[in-house]
């Protein structure tokens, strides 16, 4: 009788215990999966969060007052020193040419009216700034023993090139930022060779228009690359003509510590000048240069 009673009791209690265990297992599985799913990183969820952040930034930009730009004039001073190979082709009835070493020095100053327009009008100018540049170059090469014939050339000791141009920075917020600058203005060239000066009109300087561009790219906060190209033409434009055309190309690398920059690179300069008397001069100079720059 006792055995029968115990058997009936077990039949009654066992299903309830099994049902409770099944409920606990099911609850654990679902709760754990929901928790893990909520903390899981997925690409789609990351993209959704990024899109929400972008919309929030747009909303803040629309309903918050932007910080007004402040006029902050900037000044940079540069010194170049270069050495290279110089070639001169001289055509006065019969072509003559020579090659020799050439030393060259140059000074360049830039003044920027940074944030002038945006600070006075309150309008956003997309980082467009105006500036002014003055450049002066002098070079020396001894040709006295390299030409023979109807023309006798002396030392190119007073050869000078200068230009003054307006600057337009269309990318970059300041002079120590990756930037792109466009240039346009005028130049003055003193050939520096006495016979050419006389043929060119008694030593008058050659003048015309000049245009160019320069770019700076920071690879690291203290290291980068920069390059520039300038085109020299006649009074009608800087594209060059049969009468006169010239170009100067420079590119290299630099390191920067605070407002001091030191750089090294290569340069190439070419000129072709034609005079009314039939004289044609073709000059080419390729070399390496060092530069130092102070930026305020």
């Amino acid at each position: 009788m006792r055995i029968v009673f115990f058997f009936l009791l077990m039949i009654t209690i066992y299903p309830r215990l099994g049902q409770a265990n099944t409920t606990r297992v099911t609850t654990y599985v679902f709760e754990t999966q929901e928790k893990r799913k909520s903390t899981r990183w997925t690409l789609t969820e990351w993209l959704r969060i990024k899109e929400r952040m972008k919309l929030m930034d747009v909303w803040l930009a629309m309903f918050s007052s932007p910080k007004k730009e402040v006029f902050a004039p900037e000044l940079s001073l540069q010194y170049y020193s270069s050495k290279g190979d110089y070639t001169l082709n001289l055509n006065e009835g019969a072509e003559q040419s020579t090659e020799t070493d050439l030393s060259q020095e140059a000074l360049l100053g830039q003044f920027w009216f940074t944030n002038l327009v945006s600070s006075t009008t309150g309008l956003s100018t997309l980082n467009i700034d105006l500036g002014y540049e003055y450049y002066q170059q002098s070079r020396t090469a001894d040709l006295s023993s390299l030409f023979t014939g109807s023309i006798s050339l002396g030392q190119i000791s007073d050869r000078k090139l200068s230009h003054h141009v307006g600057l337009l920075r269309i990318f970059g917020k300041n002079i120590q930022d990756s930037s792109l600058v466009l240039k346009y203005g005028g130049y003055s060239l003193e050939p520096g060779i006495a016979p050419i000066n006389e043929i060119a009109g008694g030593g008058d300087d050659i003048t015309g228009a000049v245009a160019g561009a320069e770019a700076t790219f920071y690879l690291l906060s203290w290291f980068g690359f920069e390059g520039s190209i300038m085109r020299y033409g006649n009074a009608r434009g800087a594209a060059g003509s049969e009468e006169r055309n010239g170009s100067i190309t420079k590119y290299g690398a630099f390191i920067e510590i605070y407002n001091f920059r030191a750089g090294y690179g290569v340069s190439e300069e070419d000129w072709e000048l034609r005079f009314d008397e039939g004289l044609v001069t073709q000059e080419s100079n390729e070399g390496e240069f060092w530069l130092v720059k102070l930026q305020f």
Side-chain angles (χ1 to χ4, degrees), residues 75-79 175 259-261 292-296:
L75 175 67
S76 70
L77 302 173
Q78 305 177 45
Y79 171 77
I175 59 177
N259 64 334
F260 174 79
R261 178 184 297 182
V292 292
K293 179 191 290 189
L294 290 176
Q295 303 166 109
F296 303 97

Side-chain angles (χ1 to χ4, degrees), residues 126-143:
L126 301 177
N127 296 337
I128 295 177
D129 290 301
L130 304 175
Y132 171 81
E133 173 183 291
Y134 180 78
Y135 175 82
Q136 181 172 315
Q137 174 199 93
S138 61
R139 65 189 196 184
T140 301
D142 190 3
L143 304 179

Side-chain angles (χ1 to χ4, degrees), residues 90-96 150-151 199 277-280:
L90 189 63
N91 186 345
E92 193 193 35
E95 186 170 309
Q96 305 175 72
S150 57
I151 268 193
I199 296 173
E277 291 75 8
L279 177 66
V280 180

Side-chain angles (χ1 to χ4, degrees), residues 18-33:
Q19 185 177 4
N21 290 334
T22 302
T23 302
R24 290 195 188 99
V25 171
T26 303
T27 302
Y28 169 78
V29 171
F30 278 97
E31 287 182 351
T32 302
Q33 288 301 308

